Amino acid sequence: MKRRSAGGRPPPPEGRSPTLKELADHLGLAPATVSTVLNGGVSTGIAPETQQRIREAARKLHYRPNFLARCLRTRRSFTIGVVVPEISQGYNVEVLRGIEEHLLGQGYFYLVASHHYRPDLIEEYAYAFIDRAVDGLIIVAAPWQLRLTVPVATVSSYHSVKGTASVLLDHQSAAEI
C-alpha cells in the first residue's frame, strides 16, 4: 500500500529527485510557496513551521532544483567561458585558480579552453562558448578584437575593444618592486 502525503498524493518514486510541483503536492502547498522558501525569497507571511516543514521535506526527499528550468526562467546559465593559452603553464594556473575561487564564490561554474596562441581558436572558442549560453567570457593573454553580445573581460591582453574590461599587469613596476 502506498503511503499518502499531507497533500493526499504519494511521494515521488524513490531513486529520483522530485520536481518542485511534486514536492508542493506532497506537502499540500502551492508551488510558489515552496519555491519562495527554498530559493531564499522574502517569506514573510509564510509561517515558520511551514518553512521548516518545506525544508525538511526537501531534505528527506532529496529535492534538487531543476537547473535548466532556472536558466530558462532567469535567462542566465551561471556559467563563464575562460580562454587561456595553455592550461598547464604556471602563470595560467595561478590566473585560473583566482578565477575559479571568485566564480565559485559567486555561484558560477566555468568552462576552460586553450587557444595555444592561435587567433582562429580564440575566435572559435569565443563563439562556441556563446553557443553554449555562457553569461560572459574571460580571455587570458590573447589579442582581443571581437565585440560580442556577452560581457568580456581580458587578463594580460592588450586591446581597444570598447566595453571590454581589462586587467593588465604593470611589468615595469613589478620588476622594480
Side-chain angles (χ1 to χ4, degrees), residues 46-73:
I46 301 173
E49 302 82 32
T50 301
Q51 292 182 44
Q52 182 177 349
R53 192 166 64 100
I54 291 169
R55 288 187 187 98
E56 286 175 2
R59 266 192 307 278
K60 181 181 175 188
L61 298 175
H62 305 288
Y63 171 76
R64 291 189 46 92
N66 183 317
F67 186 73
L68 290 177
R70 177 184 179 205
C71 292
L72 289 172
R73 187 180 72 252

Side-chain angles (χ1 to χ4, degrees), residues 106-141:
Q106 299 299 312
Y108 277 80
F109 185 74
Y110 69 101
L111 305 169
V112 180
S114 297
H115 62 69
H116 307 287
Y117 298 100
R118 289 181 39 198
D120 61 318
L121 284 180
I122 296 166
E123 185 171 330
E124 182 179 328
Y125 288 148
Y127 287 115
F129 281 140
I130 289 173
D131 291 344
R132 285 159 179 78
V134 297
D135 292 335
L137 292 172
I138 300 173
I139 309 298
V140 180

Side-chain angles (χ1 to χ4, degrees), residues 29-107:
L29 297 169
T33 302
V34 175
S35 177
T36 298
V37 171
L38 294 179
N39 289 317
V42 178
S43 50
T44 55
I46 301 173
E49 302 82 32
T50 301
Q51 292 182 44
Q52 182 177 349
R53 192 166 64 100
I54 291 169
R55 288 187 187 98
E56 286 175 2
R59 266 192 307 278
K60 181 181 175 188
L61 298 175
H62 305 288
Y63 171 76
R64 291 189 46 92
N66 183 317
F67 186 73
L68 290 177
R70 177 184 179 205
C71 292
L72 289 172
R73 187 180 72 252
T74 62
R75 295 181 179 257
R76 294 174 61 197
S77 66
F78 301 92
T79 304
I80 301 295
V82 181
V83 183
V84 297
E86 299 285 341
I87 292 175
S88 61
Q89 288 181 351
Y91 171 74
N92 299 321
V93 171
E94 292 301 316
V95 171
L96 279 172
R97 183 175 294 133
I99 290 170
E100 176 180 43
E101 184 177 308
H102 181 75
L103 291 177
L104 293 178
Q106 299 299 312

